[in-house]
Structure formats: structure tokens, C-alpha cells
Amino acid sequence: VGKWISRHWRPEGNCLWVILPAEIKAHEMTEFLRMEGVGVVPSSVFTIGSAQNNALRLYKGSSTDEASWKDALLLIRRAVEA
């Protein structure tokens, strides 16, 4: 996912934030990824007030193994870069 990963992410952490380009809406990407079997949450769920970030949150603990985690990241990368 590369440049789309939040600079606050740590490899030992359980959550990964993916910052989306302005032309991709988080709620639309969330729907697409869920249909593909990847559970993500749009950043709006975590926002209070009018401040909005166009991002997705992935929880690594929901992956069954390292391979499925990597597959999910590759799918997100392809979708963002398409």
C-alpha cells in the first residue's frame, strides 16, 4: 500500500490507517472492500464534529494469517492505484 499508509502506523501495531486520495471516497472504498471480503472501517466512524479524514482503518487481528493480511493490502493497493 506504500505511500497511502499513515505515518503513525507501527509494524507491531494491530491497526493500519490507509489515507485515500481525494478522488476516492472512504465509504465507497469500504463497500467495495467488504464485497471482496476485506473488513475495513471508514475514518468517519472515529471522527467527532466536523473534522473528516478520508481514510480507512484495517484491524490486523481480523486476518486469519499473514498471507490473508498481505492479500488484503495488495487488494487495497490495486484498488487505490486503479
Side-chain angles (χ1 to χ4, degrees):
V1 179
K3 64 183 175 180
W4 307 115
I5 296 175
S6 168
R7 69 182 193 283
H8 301 292
W9 182 72
R10 294 187 175 109
E12 70 276 7
N14 286 330
C15 294
L16 174 71
W17 287 94
V18 178
I19 310 302
L20 297 172
E23 65 271 11
I24 299 175
K25 304 300 177 214
H27 68 277
E28 293 173 356
M29 182 62 82
T30 298
E31 288 180 31
F32 167 75
L33 292 170
R34 286 182 180 166
M35 289 189 311
E36 296 294 320
V38 178
V40 297
V41 180
S43 58
S44 60
V45 171
F46 303 96
T47 303
I48 298 173
S50 61
Q52 293 288 319
N53 294 318
N54 193 36
L56 303 173
R57 179 179 166 254
L58 288 86
Y59 177 61
K60 190 173 183 181
S62 63
S63 297
T64 55
D65 54 36
E66 194 67 25
S68 64
W69 174 250
K70 289 179 182 179
D71 289 345
L73 294 178
L74 289 172
L75 176 64
I76 293 169
R77 180 179 185 171
R78 287 192 305 266
V80 168
E81 294 179 347

